[in-house]
Amino acid sequence: MPKVAVVTTGGTIASTRDGKGVSRPVVAGSDLLGSTRTGTEIRVVDVMSKDSSSMTFADMDRVRDTVTSELSDPDLDAVVVLHGTDTMEETAFLVDLHHDDPRPVVFTGAQRTFDHPESDARANLADAIAAGTNPALRGAGVLIAFGGSLHRASGTRKADTTSLDAFRSVHPTGDLPQRLDPLSWHPISGTRVDIVAAYPGADRVQIDACLAAGARGLVLDGLGSGNANPAIVEAVRDCTSAGIPVVVTTRVPHGPTSATYGGGGGGHDLVSAGALFSTDLRAGQARILLAALLADPDLTELDKEFDRRSRIDPAPRIS
C-alpha cells in the first residue's frame, strides 16, 4: 500500500463559509481526507491554517522544512501539500528549488470551499495523491495538481480567479520541464525582496522606499517584454551600483521577456543599467528565486544562476 504524507496549511480547500458567506480555513486535515484514504496509507501533518494571501517567507520556510522532515521517512512514497491558491506558486517553487529527493511533492488546493455543494476540494486532493503515488512521476520534482491538470511548479502561475482549472504553465500542460540541480538550502525569511510595478508615468519613489526599508533585491514588474521608462532606469542603475540586484519581469501573462528596446527606458537600457532579466518566471516566482539566491552566502555568480533558473525548457511528456 502506498504511503503519503499530507501536509496542511489552510487555504480555500480547508475553508467553510459562515452565515455571511465569508470563508475561513477551519477544517482539520483528518476531516479533509474523507473518502480519499482508500488504497493509500495517509499521514496527516497539520502545519498551519492560513489564507495563503497571509503567507510570509517564514511560513514558506516552515512548509519546506516540514516536507523535508516527512521525506526523511524511507517508507514514504510522496508528500502532498494542501495550500491556498493565491500564493501556491511561490511556496511550491521554493520547495522545488531545494528538492533533492526523487519522490514527488505535489501541491494542490481548491477554488471552492470544502462545504460548497460542488467543491473541487476532494477531486483535487484525490488527483494529487494519485500523482504522488504514480511511479512514472518519480524524479519529476515538485508538481501542482489542479483542475484535472498536472504542472511542474517552476513557471506555473495562477491565471484565473474563479475557474476550476486555475493554473497555467509556461509550456503546455503535460510537458514537464527539465529539472535543474537543487540549490543549497538557506532559509529565505529575513531576506527582503520587494516587487515594484512599472506603469505609465511611474517614477522612482517606490524603488527608493524599498531601499530605505532594507530591500536586498528588487523585482521590477515591467511593461511589454520587460520595459520601463528613463526615471526607472536611472533608479535601477543606482540600485545595481550599490550592490542591490534588480530583476526585470513583465506584467504580460504569456511570452518571454526580451531586452530589445532602447529609447531611454526599454529592456536594453535596463540591462545597460545592470538589471537581470527573468526570461520565463513572472514576478512572484522571480522574487522567490532572487530571495533564495541572496540567502546563500556562498553563491558567487548570482546573475548567471538567476538566468539559468529563470529559463524554463520543455521536456518529454510524462503520462
Side-chain angles (χ1 to χ4, degrees):
M1 181 181 293
K3 184 178 180 181
V4 175
V6 176
V7 175
T8 72
T9 68
T12 301
I13 193 170
S15 294
T16 60
R17 295 163 297 171
D18 63 19
K20 296 181 180 180
V22 178
S23 302
R24 293 184 176 86
V26 296
V27 183
S30 57
D31 295 326
L32 282 171
L33 287 224
S35 60
T36 60
R37 293 177 179 272
T38 304
T40 305
E41 180 183 346
I42 301 293
R43 178 167 69 224
V44 178
V45 185
D46 290 317
V47 175
M48 64 187 76
S49 184
K50 277 194 167 189
D51 290 320
S52 72
S53 57
S54 298
M55 293 286 280
T56 65
F57 274 3
D59 293 327
M60 294 178 188
D61 283 340
R62 187 178 172 192
V63 173
R64 183 268 171 194
D65 288 342
T66 302
V67 168
T68 301
S69 176
E70 291 304 307
L71 288 172
S72 66
D73 178 357
D75 296 325
L76 198 70
D77 291 282
V79 176
V80 168
V81 181
L82 308 187
H83 198 288
T85 59
D86 283 359
T87 59
M88 185 186 297
E89 63 204 67
E90 281 101 329
T91 306
F93 184 51
L94 177 67
V95 176
D96 191 48
L97 284 172
H98 304 284
H99 185 53
D100 61 355
D101 193 294
R103 292 169 291 179
V105 176
V106 187
F107 279 69
T108 195
Q111 289 283 72
R112 295 173 178 167
T113 57
F114 185 74
D115 61 344
H116 191 287
E118 296 180 337
S119 176
D120 53 335
R122 287 193 173 90
N124 284 344
L125 179 53
D127 287 349
I129 292 173
T133 56
N134 182 351
L137 293 176
R138 283 184 66 87
V142 179
L143 308 170
I144 293 175
F146 209 93
S149 298
L150 192 63
H151 309 270
R152 266 286 318 278
S154 180
T156 292
R157 52 191 172 271
K158 187 175 181 180
D160 196 294
T161 59
T162 59
S163 171
L164 299 187
D165 183 13
F167 288 86
R168 298 290 182 272
S169 303
V170 169
H171 298 289
T173 301
D175 291 342
L176 302 182
Q178 297 281 4
R179 294 209 69 221
L180 299 177
D181 51 298
L183 291 173
S184 300
W185 169 242
H186 300 278
I188 62 172
S189 58
T191 302
R192 182 174 183 129
V193 175
D194 291 319
I195 299 174
V196 174
Y199 49 85
D203 57 21
R204 61 181 295 154
V205 169
Q206 291 184 64
I207 292 176
D208 290 339
C210 292
L211 296 180
R216 292 185 56 195
L218 296 177
V219 174
L220 176 64
D221 202 13
L223 306 169
S225 57
N227 304 306
N229 62 44
I232 297 297
V233 169
E234 192 59 34
V236 167
R237 182 175 289 107
D238 290 344
C239 289
T240 59
S241 297
I244 306 295
V246 179
V247 167
V248 179
T249 181
T250 174
R251 69 181 188 178
V252 180
H254 304 290
T257 59
S258 177
T260 56
Y261 285 90
H268 173 78
D269 303 302
L270 287 165
V271 169
S272 296
L276 310 175
F277 262 58
S278 175
T279 304
D280 292 309
L281 300 180
R282 291 310 190 253
Q285 290 192 341
R287 176 176 178 249
I288 294 296
L289 176 56
L290 183 55
L293 296 177
L294 287 169
D296 185 350
D298 299 320
L299 186 69
T300 58
E301 296 184 311
L302 184 148
D303 54 345
K304 292 182 179 179
E305 194 65 23
F306 191 97
D307 180 68
R308 186 168 77 99
R309 293 181 184 275
S310 72
R311 298 175 184 270
I312 311 299
D313 296 322
R317 180 167 299 195
I318 296 178
S319 59

